[in-house]
Amino acid sequence: MMDSEDELGTIYALIERFEKQRLPRLLELKERVDKGETLGKSDIQFMTQVMIDAQRGKRLIDRHPEWQEFCAEVIHLYEEIAEKALENEKRS
């Protein structure tokens, strides 16, 4: 088990990766689905990987409740994208 300082370092590294790599792509996908577009295969693979990584980090975040609201907001964004993409897919 990691000590708290190591865990916080891991969390900060994950947050930095999220801000620089994942969030821009999620926002781009949100913009596209809001315009009525559907997701492509690589978009779906990306969304799947985001959720797999989130599940892996759940125990870590559970031990640091100060990050739970942030994670809930990310999950909400993911859900909005997925729901809208599904609506768009049904319409096409």
Side-chain angles (χ1 to χ4, degrees):
M1 179 182 217
M2 289 189 218
D3 68 20
S4 186
E5 193 172 307
D6 288 342
E7 285 184 348
L8 287 176
T10 299
I11 289 171
Y12 288 126
L14 292 171
I15 297 299
E16 183 176 355
R17 179 178 70 177
F18 175 78
E19 287 178 341
K20 291 181 178 180
Q21 297 174 7
R22 303 255 168 113
L23 182 59
R25 179 117 185 242
L26 286 169
L27 293 175
E28 183 261 325
L29 292 177
K30 172 97 169 81
E31 186 176 322
R32 286 181 30 216
V33 297
D34 285 346
K35 291 179 182 177
E37 296 180 30
T38 59
L39 298 179
K41 185 176 181 176
S42 66
D43 300 325
I44 294 168
Q45 288 173 336
F46 169 76
M47 295 281 286
T48 301
Q49 189 60 52
V50 168
M51 286 312 298
I52 290 169
D53 290 348
Q55 289 171 345
R56 286 183 186 148
K58 186 177 179 328
R59 277 197 226 137
L60 180 62
I61 296 303
D62 286 347
R63 289 191 300 271
H64 293 274
E66 67 272 21
W67 290 102
Q68 289 178 354
E69 184 177 342
F70 170 80
C71 292
E73 290 177 20
V74 172
I75 291 167
H76 181 71
L77 174 61
Y78 178 93
E79 288 173 343
E80 286 180 355
I81 295 166
E83 288 172 8
K84 189 67 176 177
L86 181 59
E87 286 176 28
N88 295 346
E89 194 68 39
K90 287 179 180 178
R91 277 196 287 255
S92 66

